[in-house]
Amino acid sequence: MSALKILHAADLHLDSPFEALGASKAALRRGEQRELLGRIADLAIEEKVDLVLFAGDLLDSDNTFYETGEELVRSLRRIGAPVFIAPGNHDYYSERSPYARLKLPENIHVFTSREISCFTLKELGVRVYGAAFTDRRSEGLLQGFHAPRGDGFVNLLCLHGEVGVRDSAYNPISEEELALSGIDYAALGHVHRESELRRAGSTAYAWPGCPEGRGFDETGEKHVYLVRLEGGRCEIDKRCVASRRYEILETDVSGVEPLLAIHTQLPDETVRDIYRIVLRGEVDAPPDLRRLQENLSEFFFELQLRDETHLRRDIWDKAGEDSLRGLFLLKLRARYDAAASERERAHIEQAARWGLAAIDNREEVLRHDDP
């Protein structure tokens, strides 16, 4: 039998709210998410894949924009090859589901039941098994399942779930169940950090993670998987289809002008990306985050700054001098020395930042915390 080529993707979460962005940028990001469908279709056509497997959470909810439904139908029809969708906990199947409302082209097959069912593609010598979440949570869907082997067919599984987490509320799957399943390749979804290729007995399995980050818990380059099955062997080729990425840059500004320190560390191409820059180190005075924001924002699609610097210890040497600064620091130093925990000392140090900024008639120091 010739090699079987599969495009495996999951967790696109189309129409995510992007609550950490302003309204206009959030709308732009949702539009760019829809473009993921077109890039996945382009990749499938370019690579001449035999079929496409979407392992859940293709949509972020059942409240899908009209434009997203249109793009879903248009892009997936363009692929031509069979496309299988196993709804997950965000896009679970119901009568209200977009999958139930949309007029899907013939090459798209959606699993609609919690019971594992099978589509047979005789021309490819393939059986595709799958099931759907029908609610936000799901008990194990693979329990007791076994596909027949030895009849010349390749057995594939498309399923949303969590491997190795026994008490998961999102279709817990054990490696033992995968090993006993009779499946040649299990295309999984749910976990947003990619797995690489894994094996349980003679079953190969993987989840590609999300193909594009949506927050600072999804940093770095993201992928979809091109899977090649031939003669019992399985290989995965990672492909990036994202338009933007989230990154966190930690910068030590001890003894260095913060703007210079950041520019020294910045990669060449950041204008399309969303960055969080965390300032660390010991400083004589708090960094001016507003000035940094004004000077750096043009280099990013979106920039978030966090000040995690510490005032140098010798700042307390001025405590007690005959000035407003000295009296202010004297009182704070007494409270700092008497503090019962590091957390309390950190709060007192932050108070010193704000107080010194006010005394020196500088802009108030802003802390940009996690969204």
Side-chain angles (χ1 to χ4, degrees):
M1 179 181 171
S2 61
L4 183 70
K5 292 185 72 173
I6 305 160
L7 196 157
H8 172 195
D11 297 287
L12 276 68
H13 287 272
L14 301 177
D15 287 344
S16 292
F18 293 101
E19 293 172 344
L21 300 176
S24 60
K25 285 187 176 179
L28 176 61
R29 291 293 292 118
R30 286 191 290 273
E32 289 173 343
Q33 272 194 313
R34 295 179 196 117
E35 294 171 5
L36 277 173
L37 293 167
R39 287 194 290 275
I40 288 173
D42 290 341
L43 179 61
I45 294 166
E46 177 185 344
E47 293 293 332
K48 298 181 173 61
V49 301
D50 296 300
L51 67 159
V52 177
L53 304 177
F54 284 107
D57 288 355
L58 179 55
L59 310 172
D60 193 58
S61 71
D62 60 7
N63 187 24
T64 302
F65 288 102
Y66 176 80
E67 295 89 342
T68 303
E70 277 198 325
E71 186 59 43
L72 179 72
V73 171
R74 180 167 50 246
S75 293
L76 300 191
R77 177 189 287 122
R78 201 158 54 82
I79 292 173
V83 176
F84 295 88
I85 300 172
N89 56 297
H90 277 261
D91 60 352
Y92 63 89
Y93 190 84
S94 72
E95 292 181 357
R96 298 184 57 216
S97 168
Y99 301 129
R101 301 194 310 264
L102 290 170
K103 187 175 181 180
L104 299 174
E106 291 184 359
N107 68 312
I108 300 178
H109 309 280
V110 180
F111 294 101
T112 61
S113 169
R114 295 183 70 257
E115 300 296 324
I116 292 179
S117 58
C118 175
F119 287 90
T120 300
L121 305 174
K122 290 184 179 180
E123 67 280 10
L124 294 176
V126 170
R127 284 189 293 256
V128 182
Y129 294 87
F133 275 59
T134 55
D135 204 338
R136 297 185 187 280
R137 296 170 180 261
S138 176
E139 296 178 350
L141 302 176
L142 200 58
Q143 296 176 13
F145 170 78
H146 181 78
R149 260 185 172 162
D151 55 2
F153 276 80
V154 173
N155 293 326
L156 304 177
L157 176 68
C158 185
L159 196 62
H160 199 74
E162 197 165 14
V163 178
V165 184
R166 181 180 298 178
D167 298 325
S168 173
Y170 307 106
N171 180 25
I173 301 169
S174 71
E175 286 206 326
E176 182 181 10
E177 287 170 334
L178 287 167
L180 295 173
S181 67
I183 293 296
D184 294 293
Y185 178 73
L188 305 177
H190 183 65
V191 179
H192 288 194
R193 186 180 295 275
E194 64 184 294
S195 67
E196 309 285 347
L197 181 64
R198 301 186 179 192
R199 285 195 174 272
S202 58
T203 298
Y205 71 97
W207 55 88
C210 55
E212 183 161 337
R214 297 173 301 142
F216 289 107
D217 57 342
E218 298 172 354
T219 57
E221 187 168 277
K222 303 298 181 184
H223 304 103
V224 298
Y225 284 171
L226 286 173
V227 183
R228 180 185 175 92
L229 291 172
E230 185 175 18
R233 296 190 303 275
C234 180
E235 298 175 350
I236 282 179
D237 183 14
K238 302 177 183 180
R239 296 298 180 89
C240 179
V241 293
S243 60
R244 303 187 192 275
R245 56 199 287 177
Y246 281 77
E247 295 289 357
I248 297 175
L249 176 68
E250 298 199 359
T251 303
D252 189 340
V253 297
S254 302
V256 184
E257 204 286 316
L259 188 59
L260 176 61
I262 293 168
H263 274 301
T264 300
Q265 285 191 249
L266 272 186
D268 291 335
E269 296 295 332
T270 60
V271 72
R272 291 192 59 80
D273 297 331
I274 301 98
Y275 262 68
R276 172 185 290 165
I277 298 178
V278 182
L279 304 180
R280 299 194 183 279
E282 290 193 345
V283 295
D284 292 319
D288 186 342
L289 296 191
R290 287 186 176 173
R291 174 176 169 269
L292 290 174
Q293 189 83 34
E294 290 171 358
N295 280 275
L296 292 168
S297 59
E298 65 180 299
F299 296 102
F300 308 93
F301 176 76
E302 182 78 5
L303 172 63
Q304 183 183 104
L305 293 168
R306 291 187 65 178
D307 179 12
E308 297 292 343
T309 60
H310 297 278
L311 293 175
R312 294 187 190 280
R313 292 287 177 172
D314 60 9
I315 194 70
W316 300 112
D317 291 343
K318 299 180 181 180
E321 71 177 18
D322 189 17
S323 66
L324 177 60
R325 177 187 295 271
L327 291 173
F328 171 71
L329 289 174
L330 181 64
K331 289 186 176 182
L332 279 183
R333 181 57 189 265
R335 294 184 61 184
Y336 184 90
D337 290 341
S341 67
E342 285 298 325
R343 181 179 177 83
E344 188 177 351
R345 279 189 283 274
H347 287 163
I348 294 168
E349 189 173 287
Q350 185 61 38
R353 294 171 182 268
W354 282 82
L356 291 176
I359 291 171
D360 293 337
N361 196 32
R362 287 184 281 105
E363 292 273 11
E364 292 180 343
V365 180
L366 298 177
R367 291 185 66 87
H368 290 244
D369 294 322
D370 293 344

